[in-house]
Amino acid sequence: MKTIVLGVDDSAESGRAVERTIELARMSGASVIVTSAAPVMQFMARGTGSYDPADPPERHRGLAADAAARLAEQGIEARTITGLGDAGAVIVELAGEHEADLVVVGMSSHPQVSRFLGGVSEDVAHHADCDVLLVH
């Protein structure tokens, strides 16, 4: 395994995904790409608009940087790439662009809601071309 893409947010599940990624990267010697995506506002007549001011890109850069710092503390090579848009799509696209061997994301503690409304982990699991680890 060479490359792991780690999708993070501010959930407890995401924190556990960071810990699992540390274990896997140590065992395999893989490098890690940490990502977090700021959602965009959708406007009916104008297509994709600007980011949501309540959830700005700076916040997501911070989340990714914090996770990368945690990995670096454990001696794991990690870099951050933040995205703008649908988090699931951003993660899947990064995994494809970097030929990732594995994507690691936290899975909502309410999987029934995620399945009904569509969650990031569901999107990644169904659309990634590599293996996906969903961490509870």
Side-chain angles (χ1 to χ4, degrees):
M1 185 176 334
K2 294 181 187 177
T3 306
I4 299 171
V5 171
L6 169 63
V8 297
D9 59 20
D10 57 0
S11 69
E13 294 84 10
S14 180
R16 288 190 290 278
V18 171
E19 295 304 315
R20 182 63 62 169
T21 300
I22 289 169
E23 294 172 23
L24 293 168
R26 274 190 183 149
M27 288 188 299
S28 67
S31 64
V32 179
I33 298 170
V34 183
T35 190
S36 186
V40 295
M41 307 268 304
Q42 299 291 325
F43 299 99
M44 301 229 337
R46 300 180 62 100
T48 302
S50 62
Y51 65 87
D52 180 351
D55 196 9
E58 295 80 20
R59 178 175 169 274
H60 292 272
R61 277 193 286 277
L63 290 169
D66 290 347
R70 176 75 180 108
L71 290 158
E73 288 171 0
Q74 299 299 315
I76 296 163
E77 179 186 338
R79 64 182 169 134
T80 62
I81 301 175
T82 54
L84 188 62
D86 176 73
V90 167
I91 293 167
V92 168
E93 185 176 324
L94 274 175
E97 285 176 8
H98 296 275
E99 298 179 358
D101 302 292
L102 178 67
V103 173
V104 181
V105 292
M107 184 171 181
S108 169
S109 58
H110 304 289
Q112 294 80 4
V113 174
S114 293
R115 281 190 204 110
F116 178 69
L117 298 175
V120 172
S121 58
E122 289 284 318
D123 289 346
V124 173
H126 289 290
H127 295 102
D129 290 330
C130 62
D131 292 336
V132 176
L133 174 62
L134 304 177
V135 180
H136 291 275

